[in-house]
Amino acid sequence: MPPPSRPVAGAEVPPGAALLPVTVDVVALTVRDDALHVLLVERGVEPFRGALALPGGFVLPGEGLAAAATRELAEEAGIAPPGYLEQLGTYGPLGRDPRGPVLSVAYLLLAPDFGLVRAGSDAAGAAWHPVADVLDPGALGFDHGRILADGVERARSKLEYSPLATAFCGPEFTVAELRRVYEAVWGVRLDPRNFSRKATGTPGLLVETGRFTSGGAGRPAALYRAAVRAPGIQGVGGSAATGDDGPASVPVVLDPPLLRPRS
Amino acid sequence: MPPPSRPVAGAEVPPGAALLPVTVDVVALTVRDDALHVLLVERGVEPFRGALALPGGFVLPGEGLAAAATRELAEEAGIAPPGYLEQLGTYGPLGRDPRGPVLSVAYLLLAPDFGLVRAGSDAAGAAWHPVADVLDPGALGFDHGRILADGVERARSKLEYSPLATAFCGPEFTVAELRRVYEAVWGVRLDPRNFSRKATGTPGLLVETGRFTSGGAGRPAALYRAAVRAPGIQGVGGSAATGDDGPASVPVVLDPPLLRPRS
DNA sequence: TCAAAAGTGTTGTGTGTACACCCATGG
DNA sequence: CCATGGGTGTACACACAACACTTTTGA
């Protein structure tokens, strides 16, 4: 059997250097039913066949990291998801894949609750799972339990110092919806009155639309848009489009920060 | 000429996946003469021959990321440096090395001012440079200017929420030395009286030794040790030793934080 | 005795928190 | 008119910035 055509990069690289396969894994988080959820696939092939895992796959020749992340998400979720994408960290290459050394670059996606099209190619199906159900080590294949824990912790701290909570919301949202995002991600209850004041009084977080909700119970709530269009998958000029394959370029900083209650 | 013996990992990896050379680059920071300095090498080989660059090199077969970082540092600085090591981010693989696609995993080292042994193997020499002198884009080869900027920003924010400022100090130090670390990294002047109260009153930052300085001008200062032995190169059970090749495992958190002055 | 550096006391200002209270809608 | 949720006013506690002041050494 002839070897498959596999373009190998780094022909000018010094001898002795390792050539490693690289995967991209995505921790895609959303808030649904007032709880933090993560997008997981059921693996259809070995290793860890049948187990839950983060969506992801191998980087292809000529492909950038962020591009690989969005491609894998699109393949396994069935659609190109909206949201904010940032690099989480790199794991490996030793002792994390039974097939041998594999480097894995993890990405974090914060997204509104987008619908899934069940047509994964190499996965039996992708679905949202409550994070609380799968946070214990061993619930996921590979070292994805640790990656998920790192992603959740990153999201929790990002909400304090950046306006990225709005990445979980749709194009227009109320202060109460934003508060439920904070409550779900942090796992706490926040005072609605103080939160409203804090959110509307923090520069760089919200912009008024002048519109209001209607139809629900109680007084109509003001509708807001995110003050910053977070760099992300759909954003023109965002990370994926420009091939900016570095770690998180610090977005706009919240000042004063919205600190989570300390125990 | 027979091909060099190059163990190629990932034999069971699906065809079509890229096999990439991976480098590790280190942003090694220290404080000397009340200014933040970074360890740089003058490149002795192409590409960017003669230019300044971050110390680093290719990951070898069978080697972990953190192990590669410490090995490169030891090779290019001449000694195994002390300090705290954490992963900064991953860059590439496209458009950052004229030789072709190369993935680069950057690490951040916060270290006391350790002496250098000028015996680099593939570098003409390693030396400390004031960060202010080389922060402008284009001062360094490759994309190392951006990596340095990311590392400096990471260090600045780490000092607010973690006790890692002590990683810049020796085994015993005074509150004034610690204050000069904060002043150098943040580029601000801090009130010595208020800083002293804040530092000594923050749990998890300092432990008294009962000893005092002597010989200098003025009243002797109390000597302290770091409350946390930061995971790092020399620490038993640290990242490098255990092959823990993930991103920053969040160390002890400072509560209350030591916030830098906002403009 | 003076200069220098370390460390403490005190006070004004601001920010977070708790909660009383008012506003606007649907049933 | 009442329930429901949205939003404002206000008092208290606490934390930080500013700076006067004391302590302890070397010259």
Side-chain angles (χ1 to χ4, degrees):
Chain A
M1 186 170 67
S5 168
R6 177 186 295 180
V8 171
E12 294 185 47
V13 156
L19 291 176
L20 293 169
V22 178
T23 64
V24 167
D25 296 309
V26 182
V27 179
L29 300 178
T30 197
V31 174
R32 45 165 34 188
D33 304 329
D34 294 346
L36 189 63
H37 284 61
V38 60
L39 185 67
L40 297 175
V41 299
E42 188 181 336
R43 282 188 61 82
V45 298
E46 293 293 344
F48 296 101
R49 180 179 197 133
L52 290 173
L54 299 174
F58 287 94
V59 174
L60 303 180
E63 190 176 45
L65 294 176
T70 60
R71 174 182 55 75
E72 290 288 347
L73 269 176
E75 285 178 11
E76 304 198 340
I79 67 166
Y84 166 79
L85 187 73
E86 84 168 31
Q87 194 185 103
L88 187 55
T90 299
Y91 300 79
L94 303 180
R96 55 176 305 279
D97 191 318
R99 290 170 293 187
V102 176
L103 202 65
S104 176
V105 184
Y107 274 79
L108 178 66
L109 178 80
L110 310 183
D113 185 5
F114 58 86
L116 304 170
V117 180
R118 302 296 214 87
S121 61
D122 57 344
W128 295 113
H129 294 255
V131 165
D133 291 357
V134 293
L135 250 191
D136 57 312
L140 306 183
F142 301 100
D143 53 354
H144 288 185
R146 182 192 163 188
I147 298 176
L148 172 60
D150 289 349
V152 169
E153 180 48 40
R154 174 79 68 95
R156 285 180 174 150
S157 91
K158 275 270 163 185
L159 258 57
E160 295 192 303
Y161 303 106
S162 80
L164 288 178
T166 58
F168 286 109
C169 299
E172 292 191 354
F173 52 90
T174 66
V175 172
E177 289 177 63
L178 187 67
R179 175 171 49 82
R180 279 185 273 272
V181 167
Y182 279 90
E183 291 178 331
V185 176
W186 287 346
V188 298
R189 302 284 291 178
L190 300 174
D191 185 300
R193 300 152 306 184
N194 289 332
F195 181 88
S196 171
R197 208 181 346 232
K198 195 82 198 291
T200 55
T202 299
L205 182 62
L206 302 176
V207 285
E208 299 184 58
T209 65
R211 307 181 353 106
F212 291 83
T213 56
S214 65
R219 171 175 167 177
L223 283 168
Y224 294 88
R225 287 199 317 272
V228 292
R229 178 69 45 201
I233 289 180
Q234 62 187 0
V236 179
S239 297
T242 59
D244 176 19
D245 290 324
S249 52
V250 180
V252 181
V253 170
L254 271 198
D255 188 33
L258 257 157
L259 295 174
R260 55 182 143 168
R262 303 290 173 185
S263 59
Chain B
M1 184 170 68
S5 168
R6 177 185 295 179
V8 171
E12 294 184 49
V13 157
L19 290 177
L20 292 169
V22 178
T23 64
V24 168
D25 296 309
V26 182
V27 179
L29 300 178
T30 198
V31 174
R32 47 163 37 186
D33 304 330
D34 294 347
L36 190 63
H37 283 62
V38 60
L39 185 66
L40 297 176
V41 298
E42 188 180 337
R43 284 187 59 82
V45 298
E46 293 293 341
F48 296 102
R49 180 181 197 131
L52 290 174
L54 299 174
F58 287 93
V59 175
L60 303 180
E63 190 177 44
L65 294 175
T70 60
R71 174 182 56 76
E72 290 288 347
L73 269 175
E75 286 178 9
E76 304 198 339
I79 67 167
Y84 166 80
L85 188 72
E86 84 167 31
Q87 195 185 104
L88 187 55
T90 299
Y91 300 79
L94 304 179
R96 55 175 306 279
D97 191 317
R99 290 170 291 188
V102 175
L103 200 67
S104 176
V105 184
Y107 275 78
L108 178 66
L109 178 80
L110 310 183
D113 185 4
F114 58 87
L116 304 169
V117 180
R118 301 297 214 86
S121 62
D122 57 344
W128 294 113
H129 292 255
V131 165
D133 292 357
V134 293
L135 251 190
D136 58 312
L140 306 184
F142 300 101
D143 54 354
H144 288 186
R146 184 193 163 188
I147 298 176
L148 172 61
D150 289 348
V152 169
E153 181 47 42
R154 173 80 66 94
R156 286 181 174 149
S157 89
K158 275 270 162 184
L159 259 56
E160 295 192 303
Y161 303 105
S162 80
L164 288 178
T166 58
F168 286 109
C169 299
E172 293 191 353
F173 52 89
T174 66
V175 171
E177 288 177 60
L178 187 67
R179 174 171 49 83
R180 279 185 273 270
V181 167
Y182 278 90
E183 290 179 332
V185 176
W186 287 345
V188 298
R189 300 285 291 178
L190 299 174
D191 186 300
R193 288 107 58 173
N194 289 331
F195 181 86
S196 171
R197 210 181 343 236
K198 196 82 198 291
T200 55
T202 299
L205 182 62
L206 301 176
V207 285
E208 299 184 58
T209 64
R211 309 182 350 106
F212 291 82
T213 56
S214 65
R219 172 174 166 177
L223 283 168
Y224 295 87
R225 285 200 318 272
V228 292
R229 178 64 47 197
I233 288 181
Q234 61 188 358
V236 179
S239 297
T242 59
D244 176 18
D245 290 322
S249 52
V250 179
V252 181
V253 169
L254 270 199
D255 188 33
L258 256 156
L259 296 174
R260 57 183 143 168
R262 305 288 175 185
S263 59

